[in-house]
Amino acid sequence: MAKHWKALLAAGTLALAVSQAHAADEQLIKRGEYLAIAGDCGACHTEEGKAPFSGGHAIASPLGTIFSTNITPSKTAGIGQYSEQQFADALRKGVRGDGSQLYPAMPYTAYAKLTDEDVAALYAYFMQGVQPVDIQPEKTALPFPFNLRFSMAAWNLLFMDSKPFQPDEKQSEEWNRGAYLVQGLTHCSTCHTPRNFLMAEQQDKNLQGASLGTWFAPDITAATLQGKPHWTREMLAQYLATGHASNGATAGGPMLEAIDKSFSRMTPEDRQAIATYLLPQDSATAEPAQANRWTPVRGDDTPQAVLSEGAQIYRNNCASCHNLTGEGLNGLPALQNHPVLNKPNADNVAMAVLQGVWPEKGQGMIGFAGQLNDHQIATLTNYVMQDIGHSKVQISEERVKSLRAGGDASPLMLVSRIGMAAAGIIVVLVLFWLGFRRKAK
């Protein structure tokens, strides 16, 4: 009888241990899922209409199109064969399981800041919380010499900071959480930091704004955020959650995508931590919110003898939503005092006109790429910038043409080929000189 009870007790203990282990695994997987959302993995690795994380999303780069990989636990097409160490090396060092180098379109330079615990949680999620998809996406085939992936090892030696995040003991726990997120997981510098001619981030200009080819990622340093239009931590947290802020800011382009797929799905505490890091000294003086969201039409709509071309295009296409004077109508965004009109270039205004702004939730704005030509869009953009935004920044018809086509071509391809040609000539000259010396002897 005693043996029977001992056996039952052992079985119960084992069942409890298994249950606890299973609960711990589930908790780890759930945490990994949250980290994948915060890291915005789906934005690049999930193509619309296809299975989550099955890859194939086309990423435009100055060097050509990069196709994202399948990161499901498929053993034939994904990362199902990866050990946790191989997964960590891909995430933080840019080295694939087969030893080849990843291109820095994958923000491993930022993910290098991740802790071992977060990497383990991500590994658990992608291996156990994601459905395997046995479909191989289109492979990246950049032109020579960028198809030589081993060259990225030299790039990493020159530009990559592989040190994990180190908390600042002088700062609060909330500030350090925000720093960890901004510097690492949410990889804000990937877009908001300008790059040198070798496409590496210029660390001395961290978060000071950069062109993404078409859209412009603005300066988000504290000094700029505290200027005009004024931001507070509350506004920043609100903006990350909804794409709108009470100072009139509205998100568009890649930032809107990041908000829809990542920031809006993060916890309020993490969004607040990001705001605390970006604005260490917060001024709680916020601009008063508009008391009545139903705005009457203002401005004289009486036909005038002389109306500028920009004003005419604006009235024909924009005034029905944004009001004749840019104050906004019936809860739709106002253009007056909008932060987008206070940027060093007018690219974002032109891109919004070209492509529209389509959040996953809420009111969208149509694009006019099919209705307005480059001249009309440049004229309209300049009217909005100058007459409504009181900005001296203007855009040319040629720049609009470039934005419509996807942005200016990078000189890096030409520079690299010239460099390789020069190296080849040097090698030939050295060989010729060595042969000449042999003959001379």
Side-chain angles (χ1 to χ4, degrees), residues 165-180 233 269 272-281:
F165 176 77
Q166 294 295 326
D168 187 341
E169 296 180 356
K170 297 178 182 179
Q171 300 290 347
S172 67
E173 183 178 344
E174 184 178 57
W175 185 95
N176 275 301
R177 175 61 177 172
Y180 176 71
R233 289 178 186 172
E269 292 78 13
Q272 188 63 41
I274 291 172
T276 298
Y277 172 69
L278 292 176
L279 273 177
Q281 301 296 324

Side-chain angles (χ1 to χ4, degrees), residues 31-96:
R31 173 163 175 75
E33 181 181 18
Y34 177 78
L35 294 171
I37 291 170
D40 207 10
C41 303
C44 288
H45 290 278
T46 301
E47 180 72 342
E48 187 173 355
K50 295 185 179 180
F53 305 115
S54 60
H57 179 67
I59 304 168
S61 84
L63 309 178
T65 301
I66 295 173
F67 292 95
S68 64
T69 53
N70 181 331
I71 56 171
T72 72
S74 165
K75 295 185 182 297
T76 57
I79 58 173
Q81 302 281 11
Y82 277 42
S83 67
E84 186 172 333
Q85 184 59 54
Q86 288 175 317
F87 179 84
D89 287 345
L91 199 62
R92 297 192 289 195
K93 297 179 181 179
V95 180
R96 299 195 304 194

Side-chain angles (χ1 to χ4, degrees), residues 161-223:
D161 179 8
S162 58
K163 298 175 185 174
F165 176 77
Q166 294 295 326
D168 187 341
E169 296 180 356
K170 297 178 182 179
Q171 300 290 347
S172 67
E173 183 178 344
E174 184 178 57
W175 185 95
N176 275 301
R177 175 61 177 172
Y180 176 71
L181 290 169
V182 169
Q183 295 175 22
L185 200 58
T186 62
H187 53 279
C188 300
S189 66
T190 302
C191 289
H192 290 273
T193 297
R195 296 175 182 266
N196 61 25
F197 78 98
L198 289 176
M199 303 305 294
E201 295 174 19
Q202 301 179 47
Q203 295 304 322
D204 59 331
K205 297 180 180 179
N206 187 43
L207 303 181
Q208 291 183 20
S211 174
L212 306 179
T214 51
W215 292 89
F216 179 79
D219 185 331
I220 55 172
T221 59

Side-chain angles (χ1 to χ4, degrees), residues 249-316:
T250 53
M255 188 63 203
L256 178 59
E257 180 184 48
I259 288 171
D260 283 342
K261 296 183 177 180
S262 178
F263 289 112
S264 65
R265 301 170 65 192
M266 294 170 66
T267 63
E269 292 78 13
D270 274 351
R271 289 194 294 265
Q272 188 63 41
I274 291 172
T276 298
Y277 172 69
L278 292 176
L279 273 177
Q281 301 296 324
D282 184 28
S283 171
T285 305
E287 295 292 330
Q290 190 173 336
N292 183 0
R293 65 190 299 268
W294 300 102
T295 309
V297 177
R298 297 181 184 178
D300 183 8
D301 197 25
T302 304
Q304 300 178 28
V306 179
L307 195 66
S308 72
E309 183 182 8
Q312 187 65 61
I313 297 173
Y314 177 85
R315 289 180 180 230
N316 290 345

Side-chain angles (χ1 to χ4, degrees), residues 6-159:
K6 285 182 180 179
L8 286 175
L9 180 62
T13 303
L14 179 61
L16 178 62
V18 170
S19 176
Q20 289 175 337
H22 180 72
D25 287 345
E26 286 296 319
Q27 187 175 4
L28 188 66
I29 293 168
K30 198 68 179 174
R31 173 163 175 75
E33 181 181 18
Y34 177 78
L35 294 171
I37 291 170
D40 207 10
C41 303
C44 288
H45 290 278
T46 301
E47 180 72 342
E48 187 173 355
K50 295 185 179 180
F53 305 115
S54 60
H57 179 67
I59 304 168
S61 84
L63 309 178
T65 301
I66 295 173
F67 292 95
S68 64
T69 53
N70 181 331
I71 56 171
T72 72
S74 165
K75 295 185 182 297
T76 57
I79 58 173
Q81 302 281 11
Y82 277 42
S83 67
E84 186 172 333
Q85 184 59 54
Q86 288 175 317
F87 179 84
D89 287 345
L91 199 62
R92 297 192 289 195
K93 297 179 181 179
V95 180
R96 299 195 304 194
D98 61 5
S100 60
Q101 300 286 329
L102 290 169
Y103 295 113
M106 153 69 172
Y108 61 83
T109 53
Y111 293 155
K113 301 290 183 188
L114 297 185
T115 63
D116 292 342
E117 293 77 13
D118 280 354
V119 171
L122 282 164
Y123 182 73
Y125 170 62
F126 279 106
M127 291 301 173
Q128 301 175 54
V130 174
Q131 289 296 318
V133 179
D134 299 327
I135 298 175
Q136 192 68 250
E138 185 172 351
K139 292 186 179 297
T140 299
L142 296 184
F144 179 82
F146 301 105
N147 59 336
L148 305 176
R149 286 181 177 265
F150 65 82
S151 64
M152 294 310 305
W155 188 92
N156 290 339
L157 286 174
L158 287 172
F159 301 115

